């Protein structure tokens, strides 16, 4: 197992993101889960009071009782977290990773690092979501319940302006498809817009947006060319040119597949789809894209198989987006007639965007049927299912030990022409006090060179690597919380090592 040359971040360090996470973010997230279950129970109680059969009433009361028990467990967890209590072992619930988490808990206990403020931040964050999952997995009626689903859907619905805009952008590419195919330089310009769109889509992270406004979300999701150009100065490491050169080299290499290790559902997943669509539809370099989800609700907004499947049906639904005009989404002229109550809202300046969106999403459906798009697990995989192709993504380990701990996943990714990691960079590099100027390859440990890696990540945690020392020093001296305020980002690429290339021949 790889041992980093630097210690992990200390959650008791009040200047760290880890400290803020334990003290403020996690309690807010737990409170939100409690509220969601309470609302669900209230709705169930209302339905049981109506004219329903005796057996149905019994099942409703049984579910309500289980919901109350889950609320009690989460309330206790929140109390113990605030008082730095010992992390409890995860009960055997029939789902994956129980033994792995409990073994690590036992090891941390031997070191005296098994409380909420003493455990390594990365382990504690992963443990929190696996523990939450165990509360639902042990029930009869709540096993399929995602406590973050309503938040994911609501935020997705608020993304309609950017979604319609991107749909029309993709439609406009169709007219230039033949020209783009014969003009790599023009295609490169579009590629740079697409990769930035996919990068900044990562900013909409519900685990981070505990105190953000609707207007803030709109700013994060701005996808116009002017917005992209203005944001480029905030990309602290920018390997876009190297990625483009690498993609062009995939032709005839036998590695024309690209993999996305997914992060957030909703708008970010939409941008992942759009980027994947661009690569498959408009470039001659990529023939297949595989998407890798999480199998349990994870870090609030991460993509699960049900999220992946629901995203496509939601985008095709005529009623998914709100129907009334919303000045926060786009200006509406007073001269415009009021929409019908059940009309689907589309931007006044993009009147055909609904049709463009439908055509694009129908193409994605076709790609899924034909295999050009693929989920790494079956599309109908339920929450909590175990699958060796995906269990690793909700483990407590940094990805640098993937070859040892998840050989099936590691070996599969070796066949990829490019693996795009949208996840927190600390999962790639460990929650380690790397100096920000540490080379990306060094921080990846044994994972470096195993396959081509592209990390697209806005800075939302203490860990940052691959930044020029002068830039890092200037930002540190500024006093700005640049490592985790989401304002800055990294486009970090590392190709397959020459030794690995030789092994694959």
């Amino acid at each position: 197992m790889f041992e980093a040359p630097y210690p992990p971040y200390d959650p008791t360090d009040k200047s760290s993101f880890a400290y803020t996470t334990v003290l403020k973010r996690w309690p807010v997230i737990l409170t939100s889960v409690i509220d969601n279950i309470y609302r669900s129970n209230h709705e169930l109680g209302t339905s049981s009071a109506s004219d329903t059969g005796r057996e149905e009433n019994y099942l409703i009361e049984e579910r309500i009782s289980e919901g109350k028990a889950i609320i009690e467990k989460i309330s206790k967890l929140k109390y113990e977290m605030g008082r730095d209590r010992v992390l409890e072992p995860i009960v055997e619930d029939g789902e994956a990773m129980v033994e792995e988490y409990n073994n690590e808990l036992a090891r941390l206990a031997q070191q005296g690092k098994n409380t909420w403020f003493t455990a390594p931040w990365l382990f504690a964050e992963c443990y929190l979501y696996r523990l939450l999952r165990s509360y639902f997995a042990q029930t009869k009626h709540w096993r399929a319940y995602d406590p973050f689903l309503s938040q994911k859907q609501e935020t997705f619905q608020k993304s309609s302006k950017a979604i319609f805009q991107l749909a029309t952008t993709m439609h406009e590419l169709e007219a230039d498809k033949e020209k783009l195919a014969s003009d790599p330089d023009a295609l490169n310009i579009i590629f740079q817009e697409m990769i930035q769109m996919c990068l900044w889509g990562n900013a909409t992270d519900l685990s981070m947006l505990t105190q953000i406004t609707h207007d803030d979300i709109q700013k994060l999701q701005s996808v116009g060319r002017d917005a992209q150009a203005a944001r480029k100065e905030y990309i602290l490491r920018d390997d876009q040119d190297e990625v483009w050169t690498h993609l062009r080299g995939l032709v005839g290499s036998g590695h024309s597949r690209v993999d996305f290790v997914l992060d957030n559902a909703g708008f970010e997943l939409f941008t992942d789809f759009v980027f994947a669509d661009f690569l498959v539809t408009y470039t001659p370099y990529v023939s297949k894209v595989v998407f890798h989800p999480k199998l349990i609700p994870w870090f609030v907004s991460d993509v699960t198989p049900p999220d992946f499947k629901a995203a496509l049906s939601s985008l095709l639904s005529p009623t998914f987006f709100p129907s009334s005009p919303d000045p926060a989404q786009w200006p509406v002229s007073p001269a415009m007639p009021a929409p019908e109550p059940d009309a689907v809202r589309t931007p006044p300046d993009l009147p055909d965007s609904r049709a463009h969106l439908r055509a694009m999403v129908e193409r994605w459906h076709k790609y899924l049927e034909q295999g050009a798009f693929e989920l790494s697990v079956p599309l109908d995989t339920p929450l909590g299912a175990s699958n060796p192709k995906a269990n690793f993504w909700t483990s407590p380990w940094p990805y640098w030990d993937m070859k040892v701990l998840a050989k099936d996943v590691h070996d599969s990714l070796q066949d990829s022409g490019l693996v795009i990691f949208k996840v927190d960079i600390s999962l790639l590099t460990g929650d380690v006090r790397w100096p920000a100027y540490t080379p990306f390859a060094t921080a990846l440990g044994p994972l470096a060179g195993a396959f081509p890696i592209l990390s697209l990540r806005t800075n939302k945690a203490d860990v940052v690597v691959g930044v020029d020392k002068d830039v890092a020093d200037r930002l540190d001296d500024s006093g700005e919380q640049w490592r985790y305020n989401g304002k800055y980002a990294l486009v970090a690429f590392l190709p397959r090592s020459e030794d690995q290339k030789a092994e694959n021949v």
Side-chain angles (χ1 to χ4, degrees), residues 3-22:
E3 291 288 340
Y6 298 95
Y9 275 90
D10 181 2
T12 64
D13 178 0
K14 295 184 179 181
S15 66
S16 71
F17 175 73
Y19 177 80
T20 303
T21 293
V22 182

Side-chain angles (χ1 to χ4, degrees), residues 234-478:
Y234 295 104
I235 302 176
L236 302 180
R237 176 193 174 108
D238 191 354
D239 292 341
Q240 292 182 60
D241 291 341
E242 290 85 345
V243 177
W244 179 246
T245 299
H246 173 78
L247 284 172
R248 292 185 63 185
L250 295 182
V251 176
S253 69
H255 296 285
S256 61
R257 185 186 99 202
V258 168
D259 289 70
F260 279 74
V261 180
L262 298 171
D263 194 38
N264 299 310
F267 182 70
E268 182 176 356
L269 176 59
F270 178 79
T271 64
D272 295 338
F273 270 124
V274 171
F275 191 25
D277 187 11
F278 166 75
L279 293 173
V280 171
T281 306
Y282 297 101
T283 83
Y285 316 130
V286 177
S287 62
K288 182 183 182 73
V289 173
V290 178
F291 300 92
H292 299 262
K294 312 299 192 301
L295 296 184
I296 63 175
W298 191 251
F299 287 34
V300 179
S301 50
D302 280 26
V303 179
T304 65
D307 291 329
F308 186 90
K309 191 174 180 180
L312 299 175
S313 59
S314 295
L315 290 166
L316 290 177
S317 169
T319 59
F320 180 70
F321 295 116
S323 59
S324 59
D326 181 355
Q329 286 270 328
W330 46 72
V332 178
S333 168
M336 288 181 62
E340 296 297 324
D342 59 348
V344 173
R345 182 180 62 192
T346 54
D349 56 336
L350 298 170
D352 299 320
S353 57
R354 166 61 61 178
H356 299 159
L357 179 63
R358 172 165 288 277
M360 180 174 66
V361 178
E362 287 178 345
R363 179 167 66 244
W364 298 349
H365 270 285
K366 183 175 70 174
Y367 282 168
L368 282 167
E369 293 172 356
Q370 297 173 345
F373 283 1
E374 182 181 301
L375 196 64
S376 64
V377 297
L379 272 173
D380 58 354
T381 299
L383 292 182
S386 177
N387 191 306
K389 294 182 178 179
N391 290 338
F392 179 73
W393 306 126
T394 52
S395 74
W397 304 306
Y399 293 175
W400 60 40
D401 284 323
M402 184 188 300
K403 186 174 183 178
V404 176
L405 300 170
K407 193 173 186 301
D408 287 348
V409 177
H410 182 274
D411 290 352
S412 171
L413 295 180
Q414 285 188 304
D415 294 330
S416 181
L418 180 65
V419 183
I420 302 175
F421 287 95
K422 301 298 298 295
V423 297
D424 193 320
I425 198 169
S426 60
L427 289 166
L428 279 170
T429 64
D431 180 38
V432 173
R433 287 183 176 273
W434 300 105
Y437 52 84
T438 301
F440 185 46
T442 300
L444 288 174
L447 196 63
F451 37 78
I453 291 173
L454 171 61
S455 175
L456 295 180
R457 187 68 184 178
T458 52
N459 294 2
K460 293 182 292 187
D462 288 308
V463 180
V464 178
V465 297
V467 179
D468 287 345
K469 188 175 186 304
D470 290 346
V471 173
D473 288 345
R474 172 176 57 80
L475 288 169
D476 280 338
D477 292 341
S478 73

